[in-house]
Amino acid sequence: MKPTARDYSLIGRNAELAVASGLAAAEWYQTDIPRSTIKALMKRSDGPAVRDTLIWFALLAGFGAGAWYFWPSAWSIPFFLAYGVFYASAADSRWHECGHGTAFKTRWMNDVVYHMASFMILREPTIWRWSHTRHHTDTIIVGRDREIFGRRPIDFAKLILSIVPVWNVCKAVYNIASHATGRLTAEEKTFIPEMEWSKVYRDARIWLLIYAGIIALAVVLQSWMPVLLFGPVPKIYGHWLAYYLGVLQHAGLAEDVLDHRLNSRTVYMNPVLRFAYWNMNYHIEHHMFPMVPYHKLPELHEIMKADTPPPDKSTFHAYRDILPVLWRQSKDPDYFLIRELPPTAKPYRSDLHGGPVTVNVAQAS
């Protein structure tokens, strides 16, 4: 059979098909959990996020000071590497959780960390708040979700180049400059309400002024250090861990289905990675119940275990499954992995997907 052509554009053929077929803003499968239990899990608290944020700030300050002190000797390299991971990769998960408004109970704390983390990873706050809302409403629905990783057929060269995202950062800076002039793309206009457009333009102009300030400080100090520690450059050398972990969320799994057990993946990780990632490794759980704070996801996972595919035992275990699937998807865009459900789980509902999916089978369809 000829592979199915996919149009991932938000204004293309698949966008129209998603709406016509009922996949857009549709009903999603949820594990049956007592209302009182979910309500208790969704209760927010400032304590865990304040503690973790203070530790994060301390790590940034410590590694940044070490990089500055030892620069330009080779001793500065390990400090830069550690600083970059906490600047760009840890900020990615902070951006995510504070964008949901669940990390802190206090709203302004979520907003402050969200805007700071957005700047650190070059995700314009208004655009990405609405983009991520769409990602949760239409998760991995082709033509609706702009955050789909590994668009089929897979381009391995592009995936490898994204590990050190020089091109992605250049593109992001270009987009910021474009938004500062008061322009949005046709795709962006499909998910950002018109009343929010002025915020996009305002934020882009503020960011450009901050970039100019960073460069001016470097000139005054006659040092590259401000540029190396703030702005777009740390994203280039520090984003690799966020990329490594982010691939695990949905890669190789089903598109155009309405069951997060089919299109999301939960992976066990060690405490250090879980701190950096703010428990986003519990990704099926997060997508089914996105208003549960990150520090409650392990508890939610235990409750949902009987209804979800067995988690991957480690990131290496997950990549052992993912890489062969991605390789085959580079040649066969219709290929994907179906995760096996435990005997205690409800079966995948045949009325909650847009195409043929084998039920309870751990093989590609």
Side-chain angles (χ1 to χ4, degrees):
M1 294 179 63
K2 184 178 180 180
T4 305
R6 286 168 171 78
D7 182 356
Y8 288 91
S9 165
L10 303 189
I11 54 175
R13 182 177 63 89
N14 278 79
E16 297 175 358
L17 289 174
V19 174
S21 65
L23 285 170
E27 175 193 359
W28 284 80
Y29 173 82
Q30 276 193 330
T31 298
D32 290 331
I33 299 177
R35 181 179 175 85
S36 59
T37 302
I38 281 295
K39 189 174 181 180
L41 287 171
M42 289 193 300
K43 188 175 181 180
R44 302 175 193 179
S45 170
D46 287 335
V50 168
R51 176 201 64 209
D52 291 343
T53 301
L54 290 176
I55 294 172
W56 178 42
F57 287 166
L59 290 168
L60 283 169
F63 288 123
W68 194 303
Y69 180 80
F70 287 106
W71 173 261
S73 76
W75 289 105
S76 67
I77 294 175
F79 287 96
F80 273 116
L81 292 176
Y83 174 83
V85 165
F86 285 103
Y87 184 98
S89 291
D92 188 284
S93 56
R94 275 69 181 166
W95 158 85
H96 176 266
E97 286 302 288
C98 292
H100 278 281
T102 57
F104 299 88
K105 180 180 180 180
T106 304
R107 182 173 178 176
W108 70 262
M109 292 183 182
N110 279 308
D111 289 341
V112 167
V113 175
Y114 176 73
H115 279 273
M116 183 183 69
S118 296
F119 177 82
M120 294 164 79
I121 60 174
L122 274 73
R123 289 185 180 164
E124 296 174 78
T126 301
I127 291 178
W128 279 88
R129 192 184 293 276
W130 288 100
S131 170
H132 202 65
T133 297
R134 172 70 68 84
H135 172 65
H136 273 271
T137 302
D138 298 327
T139 308
I140 321 300
I141 303 298
V142 178
R144 295 287 296 177
D145 186 355
R146 76 190 281 260
E147 299 180 21
I148 295 177
F149 167 85
R151 301 181 176 193
R152 309 179 202 167
I154 298 294
D155 183 344
F156 260 92
K158 184 177 180 180
L159 297 188
I160 293 171
L161 289 174
S162 295
I163 297 172
V164 181
V166 176
W167 168 248
N168 294 344
V169 166
C170 291
K171 184 179 179 181
V173 172
Y174 172 83
N175 289 339
I176 292 165
S178 178
H179 296 146
T181 65
R183 291 180 293 173
L184 287 172
T185 67
E187 286 197 356
E188 289 167 341
K189 290 178 180 179
T190 66
F191 63 87
I192 306 171
E194 188 171 357
M195 64 182 180
E196 297 280 278
W197 293 0
S198 61
K199 294 181 182 178
V200 176
Y201 309 147
R202 178 203 63 196
D203 292 340
R205 291 161 188 162
I206 292 172
W207 282 21
L208 290 182
L209 287 174
I210 297 174
Y211 294 158
I214 293 170
I215 294 171
L217 181 61
V219 172
V220 169
L221 297 177
Q222 296 186 343
S223 170
W224 284 102
M225 290 304 295
V227 175
L228 293 175
L229 293 177
F230 306 103
V233 174
K235 162 89 172 184
I236 294 175
Y237 67 80
H239 186 253
W240 62 269
L241 181 61
Y243 184 79
Y244 175 80
L245 300 178
V247 168
L248 305 176
Q249 295 178 358
H250 306 285
L253 301 176
E255 297 176 337
D256 293 341
V257 295
L258 299 177
D259 188 332
H260 293 301
R261 299 174 301 173
L262 284 170
N263 67 14
S264 304
R265 179 184 284 104
T266 288
V267 182
Y268 287 146
M269 295 181 186
N270 64 54
V272 174
L273 289 182
R274 282 178 50 199
F275 173 80
Y277 205 31
W278 260 14
N279 285 338
M280 275 302 99
N281 52 300
Y282 297 107
H283 215 63
I284 297 175
E285 296 79 0
H286 167 68
H287 267 277
M288 273 203 198
F289 300 99
M291 299 312 294
V292 173
Y294 75 95
H295 53 88
K296 292 288 188 69
L297 289 178
E299 185 178 345
L300 176 61
H301 167 69
E302 292 300 322
I303 295 171
M304 291 177 55
K305 248 182 181 180
D307 193 45
T308 57
D312 286 280
K313 298 175 183 178
S314 67
T315 60
F316 295 110
H317 182 270
Y319 270 102
R320 188 182 64 185
D321 286 342
I322 292 170
L323 292 177
V325 175
L326 295 182
W327 177 254
R328 181 158 173 182
Q329 285 180 341
S330 67
K331 302 175 177 62
D332 180 4
D334 291 331
Y335 186 84
F336 62 92
L337 182 69
I338 299 177
R339 307 300 299 279
E340 185 176 9
L341 291 175
T344 52
K346 288 188 177 181
Y348 297 127
R349 284 175 52 185
S350 60
D351 60 326
L352 285 183
H353 60 76
V357 174
T358 305
V359 177
N360 286 359
V361 177
Q363 64 183 26
S365 173

